[in-house]
Amino acid sequence: MHPSDSSRHTYPLDAWCIRETSFDTETHFLDETLFALGNGYIGLRGSHEEGYSGPAGTSLDGTYLNGFYESEAIHYPEAAFGLAKTNQFMLNVPNGKGIGLWIEDERFDLLQGTVESYERSLDFRTGVLLRTVQWKSKKGRRVAIASRRLVCFERKHLFAIEYTVTPLNFFGRVCLVSTLDGAVKNLEAGDDPRIGSAVSGPALHLVDSEQEEHFSALLQRTGNSGFSLLSATATELTHEGPHNLRLLKNGQRLEQSYEMQVDEGKSVRLCKFGTYFSSRDYPAKELLSRSKEALAQAKAGGFEALVDEQRAYLSDFWQQADVEIAGDDALQQGIHFNQFHLLQSVGRDGKTNIAAKGVTGEGYEGHYFWDTEIYIFPFFLYSKPEIAKKLLEYRYSGLGQARERARQMSHAKGALYPWRTIAGEECSAYFPAGTAQYHINADIAYSIKLYYEATDDEDYLLRFGAEIVMETARIWTGIGSYDREARFCINQVTGPDEYTALVNNNYYTNAMAKMHLNFAAAIAERLRELHPTQFARIALAMELDGAEPAEWRRAALAMHLPYDEALRIHAQDDSFLSKKRWDFAATPKENYPLLLNYHPMVIYRHQVCKQADVVLALLLLSDQFSLDDKRRDYDYYEPLTTHDSSLSSCIYSIIASEVGYHEQAYDFFMETARLDLDDTHGNTHYGVHTAAMAGTWMGVAYGFAGMRVLDGHVRFAPTLPKQWQHYSFKIHIKGGLLEVRVEPEHTEYRLLRGAGLALNHHGVALALSPAAPLRRLSTRKEIA
C-alpha cells in the first residue's frame, strides 16, 4: 500500500462551515474549489468578484452548467471498429459574477495596497458564501467590503450576489462595475487526463448580445453540439445619492458601470442576479424571455428573500441527512463539507447526473461514471430519496443510446451503458479502461435493486426500472459463454481496478452479473404474474423472447467465480494471481499515481490494484461471503492496493471495520472524510472528488454502523471508534425515517416518521412503531 504524502490544508475546525482568515496566493487555486457554490445545475468556483491578479497557474475562474456541453470528434492515430467516436465535455460558460471596484483612481485588488482584515466563510446551513475585507489603498484610502453569494437550490437557473462598500476615512468617488464576460475557455488537460479537456480555444460563439440599464445578456452557441446558451445578469443599486450609469461593451464582455459620490461611513450596495438558460432545457426562442422573467422575479423579491429560501431548503436537508460525530471536530467538519458539496453537485431534474468533480472544476470533463450508482446513489437514497429517483430517471433517458451502443459492440440485442458520458453516448477514448468495464450495466441494475428494496416503488419499476434491468441483463448472455466445464464465463473485460485490464472472469464483474441476471429474471417473473399488461408492454418494446428469463437464471447459476483453493481467496480474475507482484519497496513516492509514471502495459503485468475490486464485491454482495472470506480477501488485496483512486479508501475502511481491523478502518475513513479539505491526493484544486465524499457517508453507515440492506431488510452491527463519544445518522427506509444513535454502551433506534419498521441489531430482530418508536440495545454484540 502506498500511503498518501500530500500537503495539508486545514481550515479552523468548525462543524458547520469552512473559514479562511487570510488571503494567500499559494492556496488560492485550492480555495476556489473548496469555496465553490452550486445547485446541481450552476456551479460557481470560489473566485473573488473582483478577479485575480496573482501568479499564473494559481487560479481557474470557472462557471459550469451540469449537462451543458460541447462535443468534438475523437481522433485516433489508428482507428478500429466500434471505438467511441465523439467526446462531450462540460464548458466553462460566461462569468457573470464579476464586480470591479474603483475608489477614485485606484482599483481594489487584494494583491495591491494593504489588506487590514480578511475573512471568508461558507456556512453549510445557509448556503451563503460570505466575505468581509478591510483594505487600504496605496494612497491611504480605507474601505470595508462585504459580499454575500449564493446559488439558489430552489431556482435551478439563478445565482445572486450582494456587494456592499463602505468608505472608512474619506468622501469621494466610488465606481462599481458589474460584468458579464463571455470571453472564457476551458482548461487544457495536458498530460493528465484527470484535469480538464483536450480542447483549446473558445467553444462558445457569440450570436447576439443585449444591454439596457441594469440588464446584460449574451446569446452564444456551441459549434458542434448545437446548443444555445443565454447568460444574463440584472443589477440593483442601493445608494442615498445620485449615480451615473454607463453601459460598455468590449467584444463578449458587457459592463454596467455605476459611479457615485459616497460619504465616509455610508454604504453603497449592489445586488446582482444572474441566470443561465440553455436549449437543452427550453426552445432557443424562449431563452431570453425566460431569463428576463426569472431575473425580474428575483429582483422583486430581493436578496434577503433568496437567503431565507436557501436557509429553509438546507434546514429540511439537514433534518434528514445530518451525520453527527461527537469527539472528532476535524471529522465532523469533513462530513458536513462532503454532504453539502454532494447536494450542490447532483442533478435533480432527471436529465442530468452527478459528475466526478461535481460542478466545481473541469476534471474528467464533467463526465458521469459508475461513481453515481455505487458510491453516490446510496447517500441520496437513504438521505433524500427523491433525488436518488431522479438519478435513476437519468439512466432511463439514456436507454436508447445504450441500445445503440450495444449494436456498435456487436450485441444483437440488449443495452450497454457508456463508461463515461454526459448525454448518453460513450465518450471513453481508451477502451481497455472504458468500454471494457461492462460492469457498468450491473452497477446500474444494483442501484435500481437497492432503490426498489428501500422504497417499494412499484410505479418506478413498471415505468422505468424493469426495462432497464432486463434490457441490460441481455448483454451478459451475449458477451458470456459456457466453457468445457459448463461454467458461464465472461471474457475480455475490465473490473473496477483499472490497473488490471482486459481479463477473463473478473470476479467483481462476474459476481455482479450473477446478481443482475437473477434480479432481471425475478422482475420478469414478478411482472408476468402481478402486472401482466405492463409486462406485455415492456416485453413488446424489448422484443423479449419468453425463454430469455430462464436463460438468465441458467447463466447466473453456472457463473464462474474464480477462487484459489490454496490461498483460500477469491481471485481477482483468471490470471491475476499468476502475475508478478509490484515492487512497492522500489517505487519512489513521486512515482504515484502509477498511471502518470508507467506505461499501462507495465502496470497490467503485475499484481497491483489501483482501488478496491474483489474487496468492493465483499461489500455490495455482503451476504454471499463469510467473515473469514472477507478477512482473507482483505489481507491479500490491501497490501497490493495503491489507493491511487479516490474511490478506494472508503471501501477498504468499511471492510476493515467489518473484519475487526478498527485502526485501519479509522485511518482509511479519515483519509476519505477529509480527502478534499486536506487535499490528500494533491489535485482538489481541479475539483472535488464526489465519489469519495459519498464514501464518507458509506463509511459511517456501512462501516462503523455495519448497515446492510438485503431484500429490503435492514440490519446493523454497530461499533464505536475509540476516538468518538457517539455518532448518529438518519436513513429513509420503507417510507419511514429512522434515526440511529451509537454510544459506547447502547445503540438507539428511533422511528421519526412512518407506520412501522422491522430491523435487525447484531442478529436480534426488533420492530418499531408510532406507538413504540424507540428501542435501546447494547452496542456490543452479545456472545452466547
Side-chain angles (χ1 to χ4, degrees), residues 2 191-194 430 433 498-501 580-610 642 644:
H2 168 61
D191 294 329
D192 189 345
R194 302 170 301 168
Y430 185 62
E498 295 177 352
Y499 284 174
T500 309
K580 177 183 178 182
R581 284 181 171 240
W582 187 270
D583 190 349
F584 292 95
T587 305
K589 292 180 179 180
E590 60 269 20
N591 280 16
Y592 294 92
L594 301 183
L595 66 95
L596 297 183
N597 294 283
Y598 299 92
H599 190 281
M601 291 295 292
V602 174
I603 300 173
Y604 295 163
R605 293 190 188 106
H606 290 82
Q607 286 189 54
V608 59
C609 301
K610 182 183 180 185
T642 64
D644 284 346

Side-chain angles (χ1 to χ4, degrees), residues 78-98:
E78 295 183 23
F81 183 83
L83 296 180
K85 295 181 179 179
T86 305
N87 187 32
Q88 300 162 351
F89 53 94
M90 182 175 70
L91 291 177
N92 188 3
V93 300
N95 180 3
K97 62 182 179 287

Side-chain angles (χ1 to χ4, degrees), residues 56 91 103 338 343 468 504 518 588 685:
L91 291 177
I103 301 165
N338 292 345
L343 184 64
I468 294 176
N504 295 342
N518 278 326
H685 49 288

Side-chain angles (χ1 to χ4, degrees), residues 510-765:
N510 285 23
M512 290 291 283
K514 179 176 181 175
M515 173 279 303
H516 186 180
L517 288 163
N518 278 326
F519 182 44
I523 286 178
E525 294 156 6
R526 175 181 173 81
L527 266 57
R528 184 186 287 123
E529 178 184 355
L530 300 180
H531 305 281
T533 303
Q534 294 280 42
F535 178 74
R537 173 186 60 79
I538 297 169
L540 180 64
M542 292 176 53
E543 298 181 359
L544 181 69
D545 188 302
E548 284 186 74
E551 177 55 32
W552 299 338
R553 289 286 194 194
R554 175 174 173 247
L557 184 64
M559 186 69 68
H560 175 40
L561 298 173
Y563 186 81
D564 188 278
E565 294 290 350
L567 295 172
R568 300 177 67 198
I569 65 168
H570 299 92
Q572 185 165 305
D573 56 67
D574 283 352
S575 62
F576 186 85
L577 298 179
S578 65
K579 297 176 181 179
K580 177 183 178 182
R581 284 181 171 240
W582 187 270
D583 190 349
F584 292 95
T587 305
K589 292 180 179 180
E590 60 269 20
N591 280 16
Y592 294 92
L594 301 183
L595 66 95
L596 297 183
N597 294 283
Y598 299 92
H599 190 281
M601 291 295 292
V602 174
I603 300 173
Y604 295 163
R605 293 190 188 106
H606 290 82
Q607 286 189 54
V608 59
C609 301
K610 182 183 180 185
Q611 63 206 77
D613 195 297
V614 169
V615 175
L616 179 58
L618 302 181
L619 169 62
L620 302 186
L621 305 171
S622 180
D623 61 300
Q624 300 178 20
F625 307 92
S626 71
L627 196 61
D628 287 339
D629 286 333
K630 294 175 182 179
R631 187 177 291 110
R632 286 192 297 268
D633 285 347
Y634 180 97
D635 289 344
Y636 189 86
Y637 289 105
E638 198 285 321
L640 298 176
T641 305
T642 64
H643 305 290
D644 284 346
S645 168
S646 63
L647 308 184
S648 190
S649 296
C650 62
I651 304 303
Y652 273 95
S653 172
I654 293 167
I655 301 303
S657 183
E658 185 174 13
V659 301
Y661 297 160
H662 299 301
E663 290 189 8
Q664 290 186 49
Y666 198 79
D667 289 344
F668 278 128
F669 180 72
M670 282 303 295
E671 180 174 339
T672 302
R674 292 187 62 89
L675 187 149
D676 285 314
L677 275 180
D678 293 336
D679 194 21
T680 59
H681 278 233
N683 60 6
T684 295
H685 49 288
Y686 294 119
V688 299
H689 301 77
T690 54
M693 288 177 154
T696 308
W697 182 91
M698 293 170 66
V700 174
Y702 290 177
F704 302 124
M707 173 180 156
R708 301 289 185 273
V709 179
L710 176 63
D711 297 329
H713 302 291
V714 61
R715 64 178 189 256
F716 298 91
T719 59
L720 181 69
K722 63 183 181 182
Q723 296 88 341
W724 301 355
Q725 298 162 15
H726 70 259
Y727 63 96
S728 66
F729 62 97
K730 304 179 184 75
I731 63 166
H732 286 267
I733 187 82
K734 298 294 185 180
L737 182 62
L738 174 70
E739 181 179 40
V740 181
R741 180 183 175 92
V742 181
E743 299 176 345
E745 299 299 326
H746 296 94
T747 296
E748 289 185 356
Y749 300 96
R750 186 185 299 271
L751 185 66
L752 301 176
R753 189 188 309 165
L757 180 66
L759 57 91
N760 185 291
H761 169 86
H762 281 309
V764 177

Side-chain angles (χ1 to χ4, degrees), residues 87 160 234 251 302 316 325 405 445 447 473 486 636 664 758:
N87 187 32
D316 176 70
I325 306 290
R405 182 59 177 159
S447 68
Y636 189 86
Q664 290 186 49

Side-chain angles (χ1 to χ4, degrees), residues 226-241:
F227 297 128
S228 296
L229 174 66
L230 197 290
S231 311
T233 60
T235 47
E236 184 175 58
L237 185 74
T238 302
H239 172 53
E240 293 180 355

